[in-house]
Short mmCIF file of all heavy atoms in Angstrom, two decimals:
data_model
loop_
_atom_site.label_atom_id
_atom_site.label_comp_id
_atom_site.label_asym_id
_atom_site.label_seq_id
_atom_site.Cartn_x
_atom_site.Cartn_y
_atom_site.Cartn_z
N SER I 81 -26.67 -3.59 20.94
CA SER I 81 -25.46 -3.34 21.77
C SER I 81 -25.40 -1.74 21.97
O SER I 81 -25.07 -1.36 23.14
CB SER I 81 -24.24 -3.89 21.03
OG SER I 81 -23.11 -3.55 21.90
N ALA I 82 -25.51 -1.12 20.93
CA ALA I 82 -25.25 0.35 20.95
C ALA I 82 -26.41 0.94 21.89
O ALA I 82 -26.11 1.90 22.78
CB ALA I 82 -25.36 1.07 19.66
N GLN I 83 -27.67 0.49 21.74
CA GLN I 83 -28.70 0.90 22.67
C GLN I 83 -28.54 0.58 24.12
O GLN I 83 -28.64 1.40 24.98
CB GLN I 83 -30.03 0.19 22.15
CG GLN I 83 -31.18 0.69 22.98
CD GLN I 83 -32.40 -0.20 22.41
OE1 GLN I 83 -32.39 -1.00 21.71
NE2 GLN I 83 -33.70 0.28 23.08
N LEU I 84 -27.83 -0.59 24.24
CA LEU I 84 -27.65 -0.99 25.71
C LEU I 84 -26.42 -0.22 26.26
O LEU I 84 -26.41 0.09 27.43
CB LEU I 84 -27.21 -2.52 25.79
CG LEU I 84 -28.45 -3.51 25.54
CD1 LEU I 84 -27.89 -4.90 25.51
CD2 LEU I 84 -29.46 -3.39 26.58
N GLU I 85 -25.54 0.15 25.47
CA GLU I 85 -24.38 1.03 25.82
C GLU I 85 -24.95 2.37 26.27
O GLU I 85 -24.54 3.01 27.32
CB GLU I 85 -23.27 1.04 24.88
CG GLU I 85 -22.50 -0.04 24.70
CD GLU I 85 -21.52 0.04 23.52
OE1 GLU I 85 -21.29 1.15 23.01
OE2 GLU I 85 -20.81 -1.01 23.26
N LYS I 86 -25.78 2.92 25.50
CA LYS I 86 -26.50 4.13 25.92
C LYS I 86 -27.30 4.02 27.20
O LYS I 86 -27.15 5.00 27.98
CB LYS I 86 -27.53 4.70 24.74
CG LYS I 86 -26.80 5.12 23.49
CD LYS I 86 -27.80 5.55 22.39
CE LYS I 86 -27.13 5.95 21.16
NZ LYS I 86 -28.00 6.27 20.05
N GLU I 87 -28.05 3.00 27.35
CA GLU I 87 -28.80 2.77 28.61
C GLU I 87 -27.75 2.58 29.77
O GLU I 87 -28.02 3.25 30.85
CB GLU I 87 -29.66 1.53 28.45
CG GLU I 87 -30.95 1.66 27.51
CD GLU I 87 -31.72 0.43 27.57
OE1 GLU I 87 -31.58 -0.51 28.49
OE2 GLU I 87 -32.48 0.30 26.47
N VAL I 88 -26.68 1.86 29.68
CA VAL I 88 -25.80 1.82 30.70
C VAL I 88 -25.23 3.10 31.06
O VAL I 88 -25.00 3.49 32.25
CB VAL I 88 -24.65 0.80 30.26
CG1 VAL I 88 -23.43 0.81 31.17
CG2 VAL I 88 -25.20 -0.67 30.16
N ALA I 89 -24.89 3.91 30.03
CA ALA I 89 -24.21 5.27 30.28
C ALA I 89 -25.23 6.16 30.97
O ALA I 89 -24.91 6.79 32.00
CB ALA I 89 -23.89 6.02 28.91
N THR I 90 -26.57 6.08 30.62
CA THR I 90 -27.60 6.83 31.35
C THR I 90 -27.76 6.34 32.63
O THR I 90 -27.83 7.25 33.60
CB THR I 90 -28.96 6.67 30.55
OG1 THR I 90 -28.85 7.07 29.20
CG2 THR I 90 -30.10 7.46 31.31
N LEU I 91 -27.73 5.12 32.94
CA LEU I 91 -27.85 4.47 34.31
C LEU I 91 -26.65 4.97 35.17
O LEU I 91 -26.83 5.27 36.31
CB LEU I 91 -27.94 2.99 34.19
CG LEU I 91 -29.31 2.54 33.65
CD1 LEU I 91 -29.33 0.87 33.52
CD2 LEU I 91 -30.50 2.87 34.55
N ARG I 92 -25.44 4.94 34.57
CA ARG I 92 -24.36 5.38 35.28
C ARG I 92 -24.29 6.84 35.63
O ARG I 92 -24.09 7.20 36.86
CB ARG I 92 -23.02 5.17 34.44
CG ARG I 92 -22.46 3.72 34.40
CD ARG I 92 -21.29 3.68 33.66
NE ARG I 92 -20.71 2.23 33.70
CZ ARG I 92 -20.11 1.79 32.61
NH1 ARG I 92 -19.85 2.34 31.50
NH2 ARG I 92 -19.93 0.41 32.75
N GLU I 93 -24.96 7.61 34.75
CA GLU I 93 -25.29 9.06 35.21
C GLU I 93 -26.23 9.13 36.31
O GLU I 93 -26.06 9.90 37.27
CB GLU I 93 -25.82 9.89 34.02
CG GLU I 93 -24.60 10.10 33.04
CD GLU I 93 -25.18 11.01 31.80
OE1 GLU I 93 -26.00 11.89 32.09
OE2 GLU I 93 -24.84 10.73 30.61
N LYS I 94 -27.15 8.41 36.29
CA LYS I 94 -28.24 8.45 37.27
C LYS I 94 -27.65 7.97 38.65
O LYS I 94 -27.95 8.55 39.76
CB LYS I 94 -29.47 7.61 36.82
CG LYS I 94 -30.36 8.21 35.78
CD LYS I 94 -31.68 7.28 35.48
CE LYS I 94 -32.37 7.92 34.35
NZ LYS I 94 -33.55 7.07 34.05
N ILE I 95 -26.89 6.82 38.50
CA ILE I 95 -26.24 6.43 39.78
C ILE I 95 -25.36 7.39 40.32
O ILE I 95 -25.32 7.68 41.56
CB ILE I 95 -25.52 5.07 39.49
CG1 ILE I 95 -26.43 4.01 39.15
CG2 ILE I 95 -24.52 4.73 40.71
CD1 ILE I 95 -25.82 2.67 38.77
N HIS I 96 -24.52 8.06 39.55
CA HIS I 96 -23.69 9.09 40.05
C HIS I 96 -24.50 10.24 40.62
O HIS I 96 -24.03 10.80 41.73
CB HIS I 96 -22.94 9.59 38.77
CG HIS I 96 -21.86 10.68 39.07
ND1 HIS I 96 -20.73 10.30 39.97
CD2 HIS I 96 -21.72 12.06 38.91
CE1 HIS I 96 -20.00 11.45 40.10
NE2 HIS I 96 -20.67 12.47 39.50
N HIS I 97 -25.58 10.57 39.91
CA HIS I 97 -26.36 11.76 40.52
C HIS I 97 -26.91 11.26 41.84
O HIS I 97 -26.99 12.05 42.91
CB HIS I 97 -27.42 11.98 39.49
CG HIS I 97 -28.45 13.18 39.96
ND1 HIS I 97 -27.98 14.48 40.20
CD2 HIS I 97 -29.71 13.15 40.34
CE1 HIS I 97 -28.99 15.14 40.50
NE2 HIS I 97 -30.07 14.33 40.69
N LEU I 98 -27.42 10.02 41.96
CA LEU I 98 -28.07 9.58 43.17
C LEU I 98 -26.94 9.48 44.33
O LEU I 98 -27.20 9.65 45.38
CB LEU I 98 -28.71 8.10 42.92
CG LEU I 98 -30.02 8.24 42.18
CD1 LEU I 98 -30.39 6.80 41.86
CD2 LEU I 98 -30.96 8.98 42.86
N ASP I 99 -25.66 8.96 44.03
CA ASP I 99 -24.63 9.05 44.92
C ASP I 99 -24.40 10.39 45.40
O ASP I 99 -24.24 10.58 46.64
CB ASP I 99 -23.32 8.42 44.14
CG ASP I 99 -23.38 6.99 44.08
OD1 ASP I 99 -24.19 6.35 44.84
OD2 ASP I 99 -22.49 6.50 43.32
N ASP I 100 -24.47 11.42 44.54
CA ASP I 100 -24.15 12.83 44.94
C ASP I 100 -25.13 13.28 45.90
O ASP I 100 -25.01 13.81 46.97
CB ASP I 100 -24.02 13.67 43.75
CG ASP I 100 -22.74 13.57 42.96
OD1 ASP I 100 -21.91 12.98 43.54
OD2 ASP I 100 -22.78 14.14 41.88
N MET I 101 -26.53 12.87 45.59
CA MET I 101 -27.58 13.28 46.43
C MET I 101 -27.47 12.52 47.70
O MET I 101 -27.79 13.20 48.78
CB MET I 101 -29.00 12.95 45.70
CG MET I 101 -29.30 13.87 44.59
SD MET I 101 -30.83 13.42 43.73
CE MET I 101 -31.98 13.34 45.10
N LEU I 102 -27.11 11.30 47.86
CA LEU I 102 -26.95 10.55 49.03
C LEU I 102 -25.94 11.03 49.86
O LEU I 102 -26.13 11.30 51.12
CB LEU I 102 -26.63 9.10 48.74
CG LEU I 102 -26.48 8.13 49.77
CD1 LEU I 102 -27.79 7.98 50.56
CD2 LEU I 102 -25.99 6.76 49.39
N LYS I 103 -24.81 11.40 49.28
CA LYS I 103 -23.72 12.12 50.01
C LYS I 103 -24.21 13.37 50.64
O LYS I 103 -23.85 13.76 51.86
CB LYS I 103 -22.50 12.25 49.25
CG LYS I 103 -21.80 10.93 48.84
CD LYS I 103 -20.62 11.13 47.96
CE LYS I 103 -19.96 9.88 47.41
NZ LYS I 103 -18.92 10.13 46.45
N SER I 104 -24.74 14.15 49.81
CA SER I 104 -25.46 15.43 50.25
C SER I 104 -26.38 15.26 51.51
O SER I 104 -26.20 15.95 52.60
CB SER I 104 -26.13 16.19 49.25
OG SER I 104 -26.81 17.30 49.64
N GLN I 105 -27.24 14.26 51.39
CA GLN I 105 -28.17 14.02 52.51
C GLN I 105 -27.49 13.42 53.69
O GLN I 105 -27.84 13.81 54.74
CB GLN I 105 -29.23 12.95 51.95
CG GLN I 105 -30.19 13.40 51.05
CD GLN I 105 -31.01 14.60 51.45
OE1 GLN I 105 -31.41 14.66 52.56
NE2 GLN I 105 -31.25 15.59 50.54
N GLN I 106 -26.47 12.67 53.46
CA GLN I 106 -25.61 12.12 54.56
C GLN I 106 -24.95 13.36 55.33
O GLN I 106 -24.87 13.26 56.59
CB GLN I 106 -24.61 11.19 54.24
CG GLN I 106 -25.30 9.78 53.81
CD GLN I 106 -24.22 8.80 53.17
OE1 GLN I 106 -23.21 9.26 52.68
NE2 GLN I 106 -24.53 7.60 53.22
N ARG I 107 -24.46 14.33 54.56
CA ARG I 107 -23.83 15.41 55.14
C ARG I 107 -24.83 16.26 55.93
O ARG I 107 -24.61 16.63 57.12
CB ARG I 107 -23.16 16.39 54.16
CG ARG I 107 -21.79 16.10 53.76
CD ARG I 107 -21.09 17.14 52.79
NE ARG I 107 -20.91 16.38 51.52
CZ ARG I 107 -21.41 16.67 50.42
NH1 ARG I 107 -22.13 17.71 50.34
NH2 ARG I 107 -21.27 15.89 49.30
N LYS I 108 -25.94 16.35 55.30
CA LYS I 108 -27.09 17.16 56.09
C LYS I 108 -27.41 16.47 57.37
O LYS I 108 -27.56 17.13 58.43
CB LYS I 108 -28.28 17.25 55.26
CG LYS I 108 -28.06 18.31 54.14
CD LYS I 108 -29.41 18.49 53.21
CE LYS I 108 -29.28 19.34 52.11
NZ LYS I 108 -30.39 19.43 51.19
N VAL I 109 -27.57 15.04 57.43
CA VAL I 109 -27.89 14.33 58.54
C VAL I 109 -26.75 14.52 59.56
O VAL I 109 -27.16 14.63 60.79
CB VAL I 109 -28.08 12.92 58.24
CG1 VAL I 109 -28.14 12.06 59.41
CG2 VAL I 109 -29.46 12.68 57.34
#
């Protein structure tokens, strides 16, 4: 459970980062 929570937290960070990148790319477009 602790390991899965860490993975979820890591995935949330990655998703947040990808969302930021996507928004940036959308702005550029």
